[in-house]
């Protein structure tokens, strides 16, 4: 199957497929997956607004470059596939891809730490260095139920604005970026920030927040700060790790 799909797409699309499949598998390796219920999507290079998303019913650790499903912004498959897609995943991801030309990759997860922070009225706080990267470009979106309502799209993208990090209240986490490596690194920072905050709060001791002038200084340079998070620097090592622990993503 890998050879047949590879022969039907451009070199650029195949590379996007390989990187996206790798992203699914590295997320699974960290235990951030939620059976078959969350999604990572990537824009297919080219003038069409097509994007790749996971086949519904397949675990993240099973995703390959070939079994990713290519759809348009209306959710129609634009390439033959035996798999369907999750309608809720399509609603969230198509909204961001349609509204943000720079959102080449959108990563949405239901991690325990992410959902826990999303239930806190105060949300993510500036308690760690990692949190500063997320807070420099952060949005929140209120929970509206399972994301099946097309009308929610414009509210979600309005809340997201130009930011790269979003906490979906009572739901989970979302990051978007110009590339798959950057979207992953953003999620790594956001997830780690949530974990650190919950660990610190669980001690019951008084917290030491990072002073506002430091946070405001980073917020004033949000674009430069988030774009220097190092996605491409870490990505080759991530691929090497996958080649050791879960090869086959490039099939």
């Amino acid at each position: 199957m890998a050879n047949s799909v590879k022969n039907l797409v451009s070199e650029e699309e195949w590379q996007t497929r390989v990187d996206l499949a790798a992203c699914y598998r590295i997320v699974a390796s960290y235990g951030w997956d939620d059976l078959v219920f969350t999604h990572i999507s990537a824009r297919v290079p080219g003038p069409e607004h097509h994007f790749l998303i996971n086949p519904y019913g397949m675990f993240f650790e099973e995703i390959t470059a070939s079994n990713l499903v290519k759809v348009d912004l209306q959710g129609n498959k634009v390439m033959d596939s035996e798999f369907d897609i999750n309608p809720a995943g399509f609603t969230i991801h198509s909204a961001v891809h349609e509204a943000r030309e720079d959102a080449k990759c959108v990563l949405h997860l239901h991690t325990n730490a992410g959902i826990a922070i999303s239930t806190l009225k105060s949300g993510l706080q500036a308690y760690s260095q990692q949190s500063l990267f997320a807070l420099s470009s952060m949005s929140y979106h209120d929970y509206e139920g399972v994301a099946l309502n097309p009308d929610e799209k414009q509210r979600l993208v309005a809340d997201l604005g130009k930011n790269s990090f979003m906490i979906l209240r009572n739901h989970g986490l979302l990051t978007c970026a110009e590339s798959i490596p950057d979207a992953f690194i953003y999620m790594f920072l956001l997830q780690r920030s949530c974990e650190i905050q919950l660990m610190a709060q669980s001690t019951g001791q008084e917290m030491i927040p990072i002073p506002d002038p430091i946070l405001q200084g980073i917020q004033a340079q949000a674009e430069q700060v988030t774009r220097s998070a190092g996605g491409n620097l870490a990505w080759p090592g991530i691929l090497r790790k996958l080649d050791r622990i879960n090869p086959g993503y490039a099939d």
Side-chain angles (χ1 to χ4, degrees):
M1 182 177 177
N3 286 335
S4 63
V5 173
K6 187 174 183 179
N7 292 336
L8 292 173
V9 302
S10 67
E11 289 184 17
E12 293 80 9
E13 177 176 334
W14 184 251
Q15 185 59 56
T16 300
R17 285 174 171 272
V18 170
D19 285 335
L20 184 56
C23 192
Y24 273 104
R25 292 198 182 199
I26 196 66
V27 163
S29 78
Y30 279 104
W32 298 344
D33 47 347
D34 182 20
L35 295 177
V36 299
F37 299 113
T38 56
H39 321 276
I40 314 167
S41 61
R43 271 276 303 274
V44 175
E48 306 91 354
H49 278 67
H50 296 162
F51 62 93
L52 301 165
I53 197 164
N54 50 320
Y56 199 23
M58 192 163 285
F59 279 25
F60 280 20
E61 66 196 40
E62 300 174 306
I63 302 298
T64 68
S66 298
N67 63 32
L68 289 160
V69 184
K70 182 159 63 169
V71 297
D72 62 19
L73 290 173
Q74 288 71 48
N76 303 307
K77 287 188 279 189
V78 294
M79 184 175 178
D80 287 341
S81 173
E82 62 184 297
F83 303 105
D84 292 320
I85 64 169
N86 184 337
F90 169 75
T91 299
I92 293 172
H93 289 256
S94 64
V96 180
H97 282 295
E98 185 173 10
R100 291 274 299 271
E101 190 66 28
D102 64 318
K104 301 294 195 302
C105 179
V106 180
L107 210 166
H108 168 49
L109 300 178
H110 300 161
T111 65
N112 291 346
I115 296 172
I117 292 295
S118 80
T119 69
L120 301 180
K121 190 171 184 179
S122 58
L124 185 68
Q125 298 295 300
Y127 291 142
S128 66
Q129 177 171 274
Q130 287 85 347
S131 72
L132 297 183
F133 289 93
L135 291 170
S136 72
S137 188
M138 174 63 72
S139 293
Y140 288 84
H141 177 64
D142 288 339
Y143 188 62
E144 299 188 25
V146 177
L148 294 172
N149 182 3
D151 292 340
E152 185 179 356
K153 285 185 174 186
Q154 60 184 120
R155 292 186 289 275
L156 187 146
V157 298
D159 288 338
L160 179 62
K162 295 181 178 180
N163 294 317
S164 300
F165 299 80
M166 174 175 269
I167 292 178
L168 301 160
R169 297 281 192 186
N170 310 99
H171 185 173
L173 307 177
L174 183 147
T175 60
C176 60
E178 286 268 8
S179 71
I180 294 167
D182 281 350
F184 173 78
I185 290 297
Y186 293 176
M187 184 59 73
F188 182 90
L189 291 167
L190 181 55
Q191 169 68 10
R192 184 60 56 88
S193 300
C194 292
E195 292 170 347
I196 291 168
Q197 178 171 326
L198 292 171
M199 289 175 68
Q201 288 174 328
S202 71
T203 68
Q205 298 187 41
E206 185 176 358
M207 310 284 285
I208 304 174
I210 293 172
D212 281 345
I214 296 177
L215 175 58
Q216 291 167 6
I218 288 180
Q219 287 174 325
Q221 304 171 51
E223 186 173 348
Q224 292 88 343
V225 170
T226 54
R227 287 177 186 274
S228 64
N232 286 327
L233 183 63
W235 196 247
I238 288 169
L239 297 183
R240 291 194 299 272
K241 179 176 182 176
L242 282 175
D243 287 338
R244 294 192 299 272
I245 67 172
N246 190 6
Y249 57 91
D251 291 345

